[in-house]
Amino acid sequence: MSAVATPVSPMLVRLAAEKATGALLRDHGTLYLVDGRVVHAESPAAPGVDVLLTTGGRLPRENWDEAVDRAGAHRAVGRFLVDSGRLQDGELEICHLGAVFDAAFFALSPTSGPTRFRYGVGHWFGTVRPVSAEAVERETVRRRELLDAVWPYPAVDTAPVAPRPAAPGQTMGSRQRALLAAADGERTPAELARLLGRPAFHTLLDVRRLAAAGLVETPLTPGPDPVPPALLPVLPVPDPDIALLRRLRDALEAHL
């Protein structure tokens, strides 16, 4: 794994080399491997693929529940959604890969707790598009660096999101406006992600951009005083969903 100088998870690196199959359990989530490749991930901090599909409006909740009831015991929920005509192959792969990278980011966050691996354990969703452990680690590192580059004060990641008035002439994108409209000073970024049916990392990224622009309250944290937020605009950047879809599309095409 030369692309990542210091592995995010040495155990994941070792399991990939062993081509192991099972579940890697960490404090903040679980990664499921088949022959050393990541086939699924879940974390309490990230909406699952069910939320992304149903709350996002692509799939009625009853269709999801039917798939789990009929195919969950066979570890083939994803396959059922395609075979039954609920989803196309490509859109399932893109949505599932997005959910995997989202949950893996939190599952692989620094932890002081034990890391365990249960050999032979599988997930009821089934295998859709395996991803190399190297790709998961590389994307996790890239996301950490991106968050810190936007606003290096991680306290906003878990604090309730409380909007602040915009400065005269200050603008923001539609995604950030929708996020602020749902923010009530009590919901955390993770709760807002589930409410809006969005990936949790993208929600964190929007919150950090809003914090840098002075558009949300920021908890007091030790360290140097930040730049006065009212002077910082919300910089025009590509929609993170679109950017991720392009990377996932390129990854899929590279393996065809």
Side-chain angles (χ1 to χ4, degrees):
M1 288 196 181
S2 57
V4 180
T6 302
V8 173
S9 170
M11 182 177 285
L12 178 60
V13 175
R14 177 173 62 79
L15 293 168
E18 292 177 1
K19 299 187 181 302
T21 295
L24 177 63
L25 290 80
R26 291 169 58 90
D27 279 358
H28 305 295
T30 302
L31 274 65
Y32 294 85
L33 281 67
V34 172
D35 295 331
R37 296 172 67 83
V38 178
V39 297
H40 194 74
E42 56 188 14
S43 168
V49 66
D50 60 326
V51 175
L52 299 180
L53 286 171
T54 60
T55 304
R58 178 56 190 86
L59 190 72
R61 186 74 207 191
E62 56 269 23
N63 288 166
W64 172 266
D65 292 340
E66 177 193 15
V68 173
D69 289 343
R70 297 182 60 178
H74 305 289
R75 298 180 183 175
V77 171
R79 190 72 259 159
F80 178 88
L81 289 170
V82 173
D83 291 345
S84 63
R86 304 294 194 271
L87 295 173
Q88 297 298 315
D89 261 316
E91 62 182 335
L92 174 64
E93 289 179 358
I94 289 175
C95 181
H96 184 251
L97 279 173
V100 167
F101 282 121
D102 197 39
F105 172 77
F106 297 97
L108 294 176
S109 61
T111 176
S112 58
T115 298
R116 303 176 302 279
F117 188 72
R118 295 181 180 174
Y119 285 91
V121 174
H123 193 274
W124 47 263
F125 190 82
T127 299
V128 176
R129 170 75 67 165
V131 183
S132 71
E134 180 181 9
V136 171
E137 287 226 338
R138 185 170 57 246
E139 180 64 11
T140 297
V141 171
R142 187 194 70 84
R143 293 183 178 206
R144 288 181 185 176
E145 293 174 346
L146 179 56
L147 286 177
D148 286 341
V150 169
W151 183 249
Y153 299 92
V156 298
D157 295 349
T158 54
V161 180
R164 295 182 61 189
Q170 196 171 22
T171 60
M172 68 194 78
S174 59
R175 285 177 54 86
Q176 288 144 343
R177 286 197 299 272
L179 192 156
L180 287 178
D184 58 0
E186 297 182 2
R187 297 187 181 102
T188 64
E191 291 168 335
L192 288 170
R194 286 187 173 81
L195 177 68
L196 298 171
R198 297 178 180 178
F201 170 77
H202 295 162
T203 304
L204 289 187
L205 191 58
D206 278 334
V207 168
R208 289 215 193 187
R209 286 178 176 140
L210 291 168
L215 292 170
V216 298
E217 299 287 348
T218 57
L220 294 177
T221 55
D225 292 335
V227 176
L231 302 179
L232 300 175
V234 178
L235 300 177
V237 294
D239 186 307
D241 280 339
I242 299 300
L244 176 64
L245 290 178
R246 287 173 178 162
R247 290 197 301 276
L248 294 180
R249 178 200 61 195
D250 293 342
L252 291 174
E253 290 176 351
H255 287 82
L256 290 178

